[in-house]
Amino acid sequence: MGRLKSFCGLAVAVLVLSGCGGGSGASSPSSSVSSSPPATASAPPATASSTTSSSPAPQSTAPTTPTTPAPTPPPPTPPPPSTPAPTNNTATLTWTAPTTNTNGSALTNLAGYEIHYGTTAGALSNTINIANPGATTYVVTNLTTGTWYFAMSAYTNTGLASPMSNIGSKTIG
């Protein structure tokens, strides 16, 4: 078992060196690995270890690399921060676009949304029209201090509107 391990270590060392371009050529390490039967490599275990230690040393010093490690380069500069979403006196609404009509049929003519909002859940008297069926987020701005309530509805290009969504709220202040 121990002798097999030293053979495998020798084979790995030879393959690594040939991959790095070391040695007298790619055919020499390759032929020594394929022509050496396991019995030959396992017979002199000291030879295998001395071959491993003497062979890589000259080849690893052949390239002109400094003996001291090069200083690590500084990390890359992070990208500039993205523009943060407004946070003062705003409410960010997100939703999932509807895919079916109220009767269960496929919704094929979505035209946009309406945001309904106000300071009491029973009176959502303010409306924002979003004429973009691909929109799924909107920031409501200029809200005064207090609790604001929000609901959504969708509409089609034929003028049909969905019922309002569930009501959500946000406290500003």
Side-chain angles (χ1 to χ4, degrees), residues 4 19 23 38 44 65 71 75 112 115 127 142 153 166 171:
L4 182 61
T65 53
I115 297 173
T127 304
N142 299 321
S153 62
N166 293 332
T171 301

mmCIF file of all heavy atoms in Angstrom, residues 4 19 23 38 44 65 71 75 112 115 127 142 153 166 171:
data_model
loop_
_atom_site.group_PDB
_atom_site.id
_atom_site.type_symbol
_atom_site.label_atom_id
_atom_site.label_comp_id
_atom_site.label_asym_id
_atom_site.label_seq_id
_atom_site.Cartn_x
_atom_site.Cartn_y
_atom_site.Cartn_z
ATOM 1 N N LEU A 4 2.564 1.856 -3.323
ATOM 2 C CA LEU A 4 1.643 2.323 -4.360
ATOM 3 C C LEU A 4 1.412 3.821 -4.208
ATOM 4 O O LEU A 4 1.375 4.548 -5.171
ATOM 5 C CB LEU A 4 0.316 1.559 -4.286
ATOM 6 C CG LEU A 4 -0.714 1.925 -5.338
ATOM 7 C CD1 LEU A 4 -0.160 1.639 -6.730
ATOM 8 C CD2 LEU A 4 -1.985 1.152 -5.114
ATOM 9 N N GLY A 19 2.816 19.619 -17.402
ATOM 10 C CA GLY A 19 1.785 20.617 -17.677
ATOM 11 C C GLY A 19 2.326 22.020 -17.567
ATOM 12 O O GLY A 19 1.849 22.929 -18.199
ATOM 13 N N GLY A 23 11.014 20.370 -17.481
ATOM 14 C CA GLY A 23 11.660 19.160 -17.964
ATOM 15 C C GLY A 23 12.220 19.365 -19.348
ATOM 16 O O GLY A 23 12.207 20.447 -19.919
ATOM 17 N N PRO A 38 4.490 -0.461 -12.040
ATOM 18 C CA PRO A 38 4.371 -0.201 -10.606
ATOM 19 C C PRO A 38 5.447 -0.910 -9.808
ATOM 20 O O PRO A 38 5.911 -0.420 -8.805
ATOM 21 C CB PRO A 38 2.989 -0.733 -10.239
ATOM 22 C CG PRO A 38 2.235 -0.747 -11.529
ATOM 23 C CD PRO A 38 3.255 -0.912 -12.611
ATOM 24 N N PRO A 44 12.293 0.841 -5.269
ATOM 25 C CA PRO A 44 13.097 1.769 -4.483
ATOM 26 C C PRO A 44 12.264 2.965 -4.025
ATOM 27 O O PRO A 44 12.206 3.985 -4.699
ATOM 28 C CB PRO A 44 14.186 2.207 -5.466
ATOM 29 C CG PRO A 44 13.540 2.102 -6.799
ATOM 30 C CD PRO A 44 12.453 1.086 -6.680
ATOM 31 N N THR A 65 11.112 34.241 -11.117
ATOM 32 C CA THR A 65 10.125 34.801 -10.211
ATOM 33 C C THR A 65 10.842 35.228 -8.950
ATOM 34 O O THR A 65 11.792 34.577 -8.518
ATOM 35 C CB THR A 65 9.032 33.766 -9.866
ATOM 36 O OG1 THR A 65 9.658 32.580 -9.389
ATOM 37 C CG2 THR A 65 8.163 33.445 -11.058
ATOM 38 N N PRO A 71 3.557 41.788 -3.559
ATOM 39 C CA PRO A 71 2.454 42.336 -2.761
ATOM 40 C C PRO A 71 1.129 42.115 -3.485
ATOM 41 O O PRO A 71 1.060 42.176 -4.715
ATOM 42 C CB PRO A 71 2.783 43.833 -2.641
ATOM 43 C CG PRO A 71 3.746 44.100 -3.752
ATOM 44 C CD PRO A 71 4.460 42.811 -4.033
ATOM 45 N N PRO A 75 -7.858 45.593 -3.667
ATOM 46 C CA PRO A 75 -9.112 45.087 -4.233
ATOM 47 C C PRO A 75 -9.682 46.086 -5.235
ATOM 48 O O PRO A 75 -9.401 47.287 -5.148
ATOM 49 C CB PRO A 75 -10.030 44.947 -3.014
ATOM 50 C CG PRO A 75 -9.451 45.839 -1.975
ATOM 51 C CD PRO A 75 -7.969 45.895 -2.261
ATOM 52 N N GLY A 112 -53.105 48.809 -17.792
ATOM 53 C CA GLY A 112 -52.452 49.565 -16.737
ATOM 54 C C GLY A 112 -53.078 49.328 -15.388
ATOM 55 O O GLY A 112 -53.870 48.397 -15.194
ATOM 56 N N ILE A 115 -53.613 53.270 -8.647
ATOM 57 C CA ILE A 115 -53.314 53.209 -7.218
ATOM 58 C C ILE A 115 -54.337 54.103 -6.532
ATOM 59 O O ILE A 115 -54.499 55.268 -6.896
ATOM 60 C CB ILE A 115 -51.884 53.699 -6.925
ATOM 61 C CG1 ILE A 115 -50.867 52.788 -7.612
ATOM 62 C CG2 ILE A 115 -51.630 53.772 -5.420
ATOM 63 C CD1 ILE A 115 -49.433 53.280 -7.526
ATOM 64 N N THR A 127 -55.970 59.091 -6.498
ATOM 65 C CA THR A 127 -55.746 58.059 -7.508
ATOM 66 C C THR A 127 -54.546 58.428 -8.362
ATOM 67 O O THR A 127 -54.371 59.585 -8.755
ATOM 68 C CB THR A 127 -56.988 57.928 -8.422
ATOM 69 O OG1 THR A 127 -58.122 57.662 -7.607
ATOM 70 C CG2 THR A 127 -56.823 56.796 -9.408
ATOM 71 N N ASN A 142 -44.490 62.633 -1.687
ATOM 72 C CA ASN A 142 -45.129 63.802 -1.073
ATOM 73 C C ASN A 142 -46.241 63.438 -0.096
ATOM 74 O O ASN A 142 -47.268 64.128 -0.034
ATOM 75 C CB ASN A 142 -45.654 64.773 -2.139
ATOM 76 C CG ASN A 142 -44.539 65.293 -3.016
ATOM 77 O OD1 ASN A 142 -43.436 65.572 -2.535
ATOM 78 N ND2 ASN A 142 -44.800 65.399 -4.310
ATOM 79 N N SER A 153 -55.912 48.601 -8.444
ATOM 80 C CA SER A 153 -56.846 47.970 -9.380
ATOM 81 C C SER A 153 -56.166 47.956 -10.749
ATOM 82 O O SER A 153 -55.275 48.757 -11.017
ATOM 83 C CB SER A 153 -58.191 48.702 -9.432
ATOM 84 O OG SER A 153 -58.019 50.029 -9.887
ATOM 85 N N ASN A 166 -56.641 44.095 -1.784
ATOM 86 C CA ASN A 166 -56.646 44.290 -0.338
ATOM 87 C C ASN A 166 -55.945 45.595 -0.024
ATOM 88 O O ASN A 166 -55.074 46.048 -0.780
ATOM 89 C CB ASN A 166 -55.949 43.146 0.371
ATOM 90 C CG ASN A 166 -56.703 41.842 0.245
ATOM 91 O OD1 ASN A 166 -57.930 41.840 0.111
ATOM 92 N ND2 ASN A 166 -55.985 40.734 0.289
ATOM 93 N N THR A 171 -47.111 54.073 7.735
ATOM 94 C CA THR A 171 -47.111 55.262 8.585
ATOM 95 C C THR A 171 -45.901 56.115 8.246
ATOM 96 O O THR A 171 -44.772 55.622 8.218
ATOM 97 C CB THR A 171 -47.090 54.862 10.065
ATOM 98 O OG1 THR A 171 -48.243 54.061 10.346
ATOM 99 C CG2 THR A 171 -47.106 56.095 10.972
#
